[in-house]
Amino acid sequence: MDERKKFDTAVPVWQEWQEAPWGRLRYAVAEADLGRHIEDRRPLRVLDLGGGDGGDAVRLAARGHRVTVVDYAPGMLATAARRADEAGVGDRVTCVEADVAALPGDLADGGFDLVLCHGVLPYTPDTEETLGVALGALRAGGLVSVIAMNRHSEPLRAAVRTMDPEAVLAALDADGVHSEMFASELRLHTAEEVGGVLRALGCGEVHHYGIRVFCDYIPDDAPKYDPDYYARLERLEIETAGRDPYRHTARLLHLIGRKGA
């Protein structure tokens, strides 16, 4: 199946995932992390690489920022445009069908205040090349936000979910995991690796957060759907996102870097 069709076909399942507690936490914690570094007093020019159906873009547009979503799956982009219109922010969200590795010249010109690279690295073979594209589109002093799957979390997740020591041993050296949702092999990363690349590319300041520090290690998923329980869990996740040692074993790593002059 063509890669674009693979993602477009999975839109309903992906949106169901976003509405699940772990999906909601992914967006809520990321938004809270970004809120520590950006101010809403002036609209930012934001580029959302691989932004899919607009999960991050609509949230930022609702805060008054202008967001350009780039994705190569037309069905995902159509969903993003529809979500933006339904949220009343369609005039602040622009959708561009393009491959992240081959951005149109007007997007790669280095004029953005904030570039999101959320969930892109697991699908790309070259971390440095992908992050180079992100930083190339960023103005000096602008912010880059990177979310990827945390390699350190995989053995812990295997222990909790399978209770199988052999599965945990296998996960210790795993470089990737299989995604049933998108029928893809996803690469795993560490904050140390990604942070090192960001610094080598010119980020003098890199902040490390974890997303879903505890959620994925609570084996009973049923209580997470209770509104009161979820609210308490979200508060816990936001509070611990930047704390040691918890951020190092979160299911997702979240790095926010500032590009040097």
Side-chain angles (χ1 to χ4, degrees), residues 65-97:
H65 306 300
R66 296 193 173 276
V67 188
T68 299
V69 181
V70 174
D71 204 286
Y72 68 5
M76 283 281 189
L77 287 176
T79 304
R82 183 171 64 252
R83 290 178 70 177
D85 287 339
E86 291 172 351
V89 295
D91 60 327
R92 293 197 289 275
V93 175
T94 302
C95 295
V96 176
E97 185 177 340

Side-chain angles (χ1 to χ4, degrees), residues 72-229:
Y72 68 5
M76 283 281 189
L77 287 176
T79 304
R82 183 171 64 252
R83 290 178 70 177
D85 287 339
E86 291 172 351
V89 295
D91 60 327
R92 293 197 289 275
V93 175
T94 302
C95 295
V96 176
E97 185 177 340
D99 194 314
V100 168
L103 289 182
D106 61 329
L107 301 183
D109 63 359
F112 288 93
D113 302 301
L114 170 64
V115 176
L116 308 184
C117 188
H118 292 176
V120 176
L121 293 186
Y123 295 93
T124 56
D126 192 324
T127 298
E128 184 173 358
E129 180 180 355
T130 303
L131 294 180
V133 170
L135 287 172
L138 195 63
R139 66 168 176 80
L143 293 172
V144 61
S145 175
V146 183
I147 295 176
M149 298 182 68
N150 180 17
R151 185 182 296 125
H152 294 320
S153 78
E154 190 58 23
L156 292 172
R157 182 178 177 276
V160 170
R161 294 293 177 173
T162 71
M163 296 189 293
D164 179 359
E166 295 301 321
V168 178
L169 281 171
L172 290 174
D173 297 315
D175 291 323
V177 294
H178 181 73
S179 167
E180 294 290 344
M181 186 183 306
F182 296 120
S184 301
E185 299 301 319
L186 307 183
R187 295 173 63 221
L188 298 170
H189 297 77
T190 68
E192 295 81 6
E193 294 167 354
V194 178
V197 174
L198 287 174
R199 292 184 179 91
L201 290 172
C203 285
E205 172 187 324
V206 179
H207 299 268
H208 172 203
Y209 302 96
I211 295 178
R212 301 207 314 262
V213 166
F214 294 106
C215 175
D216 289 43
Y217 308 129
I218 299 173
D220 187 357
D221 287 336
K224 301 171 191 176
Y225 286 89
D226 175 75
D228 179 67
Y229 186 93

